[in-house]
Amino acid sequence: MKKIYFFTLLASMICVLAACGSSRNAAQATKDEMEAPDGTRLSINEAIRMAEEKPGTRAYGKGVSADEGFARQQAELDARRQMSDNIAAAVLSAAEKVGFDFFESASTDTEGMGVSDNGSKQNNLARSIADNIVASTMVIKTERYFGKNRRYTVYVCIEYNGEAKDMSQSITRKLRQKVSDENRSRIDAEADRFKQEVEDFLNKTRE
């Protein structure tokens, strides 16, 4: 009888302790959710950190593949696409603020397009300049991972060889080469203002 009583008491104590443990775990989980409602903060790798330090002249990209070389190629393409998007946006923004309408007379990149296609001309010319700038960038950091699914994840950080000021000057030179003589003189007259607008746009992402 005593043994039965002992085991009954022991079982009751185990249930109480388990219940208390579950309550503490639930309370801790609730507390954690209240303190971090968005979830667990993820750390960033070195390639991302370096790109975020100088977003005007750097960019990072990511690639995933069962082949490490292909994953790296994907990462480089992704990084250059992102930088090209940013540069093209800077060109279009600066042109609008300065009041340039040189896209109508842009040379080979936009020949054969009607006046109604002016928006496409602008985008095409800006993209052409951006791609030309990005072509001279170089990879300055690579981070590689190999997952349980036997796939490689590669991050790269690319960098333009110079500061945002240098990039804006190069953009202005390349733009000058692609427009008509008439618009080239307009660019020369407003070159300083245009370069400053491009530089300001590129540096905005650092704020």
Side-chain angles (χ1 to χ4, degrees), residues 92 95 99-126 175 178-184 186-187:
L92 293 172
F100 282 169
D101 196 20
F102 45 68
F103 296 104
E104 288 187 4
S105 302
S107 59
T108 55
D109 291 308
T110 56
E111 280 182 357
M113 301 181 72
V115 175
S116 62
D117 295 318
N118 194 45
S120 295
K121 288 182 180 182
Q122 293 178 356
N123 292 330
N124 289 346
L125 181 55
L175 177 61
K178 292 178 177 292
V179 299
S180 66
D181 292 340
E182 177 185 355
N183 285 319
R184 191 171 296 126
R186 293 182 60 197
I187 292 175

Side-chain angles (χ1 to χ4, degrees), residues 24-166:
R24 283 196 296 269
N25 291 337
Q28 184 62 44
T30 301
K31 181 181 178 182
D32 291 343
E33 289 174 0
M34 292 176 63
E35 292 176 350
D38 295 328
T40 303
R41 182 180 180 183
L42 302 178
S43 61
I44 60 175
N45 61 44
E46 190 69 6
I48 298 176
R49 186 192 64 77
M50 291 177 66
E52 291 181 345
E53 285 180 350
K54 299 179 65 176
T57 54
R58 292 177 182 172
Y60 79 89
K62 174 184 177 181
V64 181
S65 174
D67 180 88
E68 183 181 358
F70 186 67
R72 179 187 171 91
Q73 290 178 8
Q74 284 185 321
E76 290 184 22
L77 288 173
D78 185 36
R80 291 193 167 95
R81 177 189 57 77
Q82 293 191 53
M83 181 177 284
S84 182
D85 288 346
N86 194 43
I87 294 173
V91 172
L92 293 172
S93 175
E96 181 179 359
K97 290 184 177 180
V98 174
F100 282 169
D101 196 20
F102 45 68
F103 296 104
E104 288 187 4
S105 302
S107 59
T108 55
D109 291 308
T110 56
E111 280 182 357
M113 301 181 72
V115 175
S116 62
D117 295 318
N118 194 45
S120 295
K121 288 182 180 182
Q122 293 178 356
N123 292 330
N124 289 346
L125 181 55
R127 176 63 65 181
S128 174
I129 294 170
D131 288 344
N132 196 287
I133 296 291
V134 171
S136 63
T137 59
M138 57 189 296
V139 175
I140 60 172
K141 186 64 179 179
T142 303
E143 292 279 353
R144 301 176 299 165
Y145 303 87
F146 187 66
K148 294 180 180 179
N149 58 358
R150 305 192 65 79
R151 294 174 68 83
Y152 293 92
T153 298
V154 178
Y155 290 83
V156 301
C157 174
I158 62 170
E159 181 177 50
Y160 174 77
N161 185 25
E163 300 298 323
K165 181 178 180 179
D166 303 314

Side-chain angles (χ1 to χ4, degrees), residues 6 33 56 169 177:
F6 173 76
E33 289 174 0
Q169 291 175 341
Q177 297 169 0

